[in-house]
DNA sequence: GTGGCAATATTGTCCGACAAGTAGACAACT
DNA sequence: AGTTGTCTACTTGTCGGACAATATTGCCAC
């Protein structure tokens, strides 16, 4: 199937489209992406496909070992723990600074209202506004590198979400309340309180995610493209090693 | 026991070598790197040179816009501020955690001893052990992503150092004392104290760096690609340290 | 001098080719 | 049997050349 793309640069477009396909689950974790595959699907030269794959590999969206074909990254419980802990490390100190200034970013407040709204509307698709709440806090300190680091983590969270296709839900009610409490503590200038609340908030989310990733092995899906019938996939883990 | 072996590819090798040349100043900030240039210098195909350049671009070692040739990144005062602020954000919370556990990483302690030793020996080449002090703290929380983020920042600090070829110095004596104080406060479980000390420590370094980057416009030199008569400054006796 | 045009340099993309590495199957050998 | 060797099919890593699109430079006319 030929996929259409808008041309900024061929490689840019392919990279973007593939990334999109990964986050929305069209390319499930672990599915292989050969250079030829990509080049024919988009009708471009192999070198261009290769470049796109390399970029996504450097972004950790794909993983590839030496002479082997790239695969969509699979995030396990350990990764989730790591991602959330790093989020906590980064966001805690930012929160303390904001509390010191008693400054609450508008974008975070509106994002939290959105979640509440969605919840009242019966929707549970709150991942996006939830992320905006947090990135709003981070971005408000106006540090490009801090923002970049956090956004990278946020992207990985999205990958996790794509991975467990909407099973698992965190109660929007609790989320909204905790977010509100965090903003309140910032306004009160209570740095320790805000940091503690954030820790609790993210730690709960972390444990829930870890549980639903590690606890339930899930439906153990097949990877559609180019897999022989009844292929027992995914037993390799060792790179170029010698015993 | 499983032993790992590394097999380097052409692109890997070039990438590494170029990166090395950037950090040790052989390729000064702003110098252009055309694909043809690189491909002929290393005697490889242009596609390989291109791949290496793209990797370094994604690492922020080089910068490149649309159809223009890549250049070695130039870090200005704003970048330095950003880098150090992000360091502070990340490292503060890690320090608090360590203080909570009253845990002092051995590697940081030994690294600080090294600085003291070098200072007593009359040397001012303390950038490396200084970084090891800080990465020792970060790495001790055992989070791959946190470490990766911090190491990326540390690399940018190295770039800054390369950029101002050893004018400017921060007294090793003060550095060692502050490091020691930080470790002491961790041992005492004083999270706030440790975080405050770190803030002071890094903020001073930041301001010094910002000053010597922004205040002095510098020699505003031409970029002589590969060996022009004008020998770079590089006097090794001079205090060549900023933190 | 300055605007504009032509020559040049450099990138972005394509193609085709081939060596080298990986993986699975199957035969051969001890 | 179980280990080892070989074959084949697939894929990656690298090469070299080619060409259009774009950026840079230098020159010319005004």
């Amino acid at each position: 199937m030929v996929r259409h793309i808008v041309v900024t640069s061929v490689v840019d477009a392919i990279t973007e489209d593939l990334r999109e396909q990964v986050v929305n689950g069209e390319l499930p974790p672990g599915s292989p992406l050969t250079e030829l595959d990509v080049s024919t699907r988009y009708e471009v030269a192999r070198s261009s496909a290769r470049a796109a794959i390399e970029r996504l590999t450097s972004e950790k969206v794909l993983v590839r070992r030496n002479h082997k074909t790239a695969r969509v990254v699979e995030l396990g419980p350990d990764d989730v723990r790591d991602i959330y802990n790093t989020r906590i490390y980064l966001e805690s100190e930012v929160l303390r600074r904001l509390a010191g200034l008693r400054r609450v970013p508008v974008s975070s407040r509106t994002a939290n209202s959105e979640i509440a709204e969605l919840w009242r509307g019966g929707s549970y698709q709150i991942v996006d506004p939830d992320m905006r709440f947090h990135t709003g806090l981070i971005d408000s300190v106006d540090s490009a590198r801090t923002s970049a680091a956090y956004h990278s983590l946020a992207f990985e969270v999205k990958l996790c979400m794509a991975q467990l296709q909407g099973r698992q839900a965190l109660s929007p009610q609790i989320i909204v309340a905790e977010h509100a409490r965090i903003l309140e503590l910032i306004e009160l200038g209570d740095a320790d309180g805000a940091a503690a609340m954030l820790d609790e908030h993210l730690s709960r989310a972390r444990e829930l995610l870890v549980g639903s990733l590690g606890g339930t092995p899930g439906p153990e899906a097949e990877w559609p493209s180019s897999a022989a019938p009844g292929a027992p996939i995914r037993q390799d883990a060792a790179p170029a090693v010698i015993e």
Side-chain angles (χ1 to χ4, degrees), chain A:
Chain A
M1 198 254 288
V2 181
R3 297 188 62 89
H4 291 263
I5 51 181
V6 256
V7 187
T8 52
S9 130
V10 172
V11 178
D12 281 343
I14 296 176
T15 305
E16 214 171 305
D17 196 60
L18 283 179
R19 190 178 14 227
E20 176 60 24
Q21 284 192 283
V22 170
V23 296
N24 70 20
E26 285 177 64
L27 285 173
S31 44
L33 276 177
T34 70
E35 299 177 355
L36 200 63
D37 227 15
V38 175
S39 72
T40 55
R41 271 208 293 154
Y42 290 98
E43 291 184 309
V44 297
R46 181 161 78 101
S47 47
S48 304
R50 179 185 177 81
I53 289 176
E54 271 186 2
R55 272 200 216 172
L56 292 173
T57 301
S58 84
E59 287 179 28
K60 307 285 179 82
V61 177
L62 305 180
V63 290
R64 179 166 52 169
R65 288 187 294 276
N66 252 348
H67 268 260
K68 299 176 66 175
T69 109
R71 292 171 175 277
V72 177
V73 67
E74 296 177 282
L75 296 172
D78 290 346
D79 294 299
V80 172
R81 257 185 291 266
D82 193 24
I83 292 166
Y84 273 76
N85 286 340
T86 307
R87 282 184 68 179
I88 292 174
Y89 297 148
L90 252 183
E91 202 167 342
S92 291
E93 187 63 21
V94 168
L95 242 59
R96 288 175 189 276
R97 307 270 157 169
L98 292 181
L101 303 167
R102 285 177 163 68
R103 182 150 67 94
V104 172
V106 215
S107 57
S108 293
R109 211 188 280 285
T110 61
N112 202 35
S113 304
E114 268 183 66
I115 303 176
E117 190 109 5
L118 284 171
W119 173 53
R120 276 195 297 277
S123 170
Y124 285 78
Q125 308 301 318
I126 63 172
V127 181
D128 246 51
D130 179 85
M131 267 309 161
R132 280 206 302 282
F133 172 85
H134 292 281
T135 54
L137 294 168
I138 294 287
D139 293 343
S140 75
V141 298
D142 213 52
S143 158
R145 283 165 181 81
T146 304
S147 290
Y150 198 88
H151 277 86
S152 161
L153 294 170
F155 179 79
E156 293 200 270
V157 172
K158 270 204 205 169
L159 284 187
C160 289
M161 297 304 169
Q163 202 159 326
L164 38 84
Q165 308 256 13
R167 322 176 238 119
Q168 98 97 34
L170 207 71
S171 156
Q173 194 176 8
I174 295 178
I175 291 180
V176 170
E178 289 183 343
H179 284 181
R181 181 71 184 141
I182 288 173
L183 297 187
E184 193 183 339
L185 289 164
I186 291 177
E187 273 178 334
L188 293 172
D190 183 356
D192 285 334
M197 186 75 241
L198 178 80
D199 193 335
E200 195 186 322
H201 177 64
L202 287 183
S203 292
R204 192 196 348 276
R206 180 194 62 206
E207 290 313 316
L208 194 63
L209 251 180
V210 165
S212 61
L213 268 182
T216 60
E220 200 61 61
E222 296 296 312
W223 321 125
S225 71
S226 76
I233 345 149
R234 212 64 200 124
Q235 243 70 23
D236 56 5
V241 288
I242 291 183
E243 284 222 31

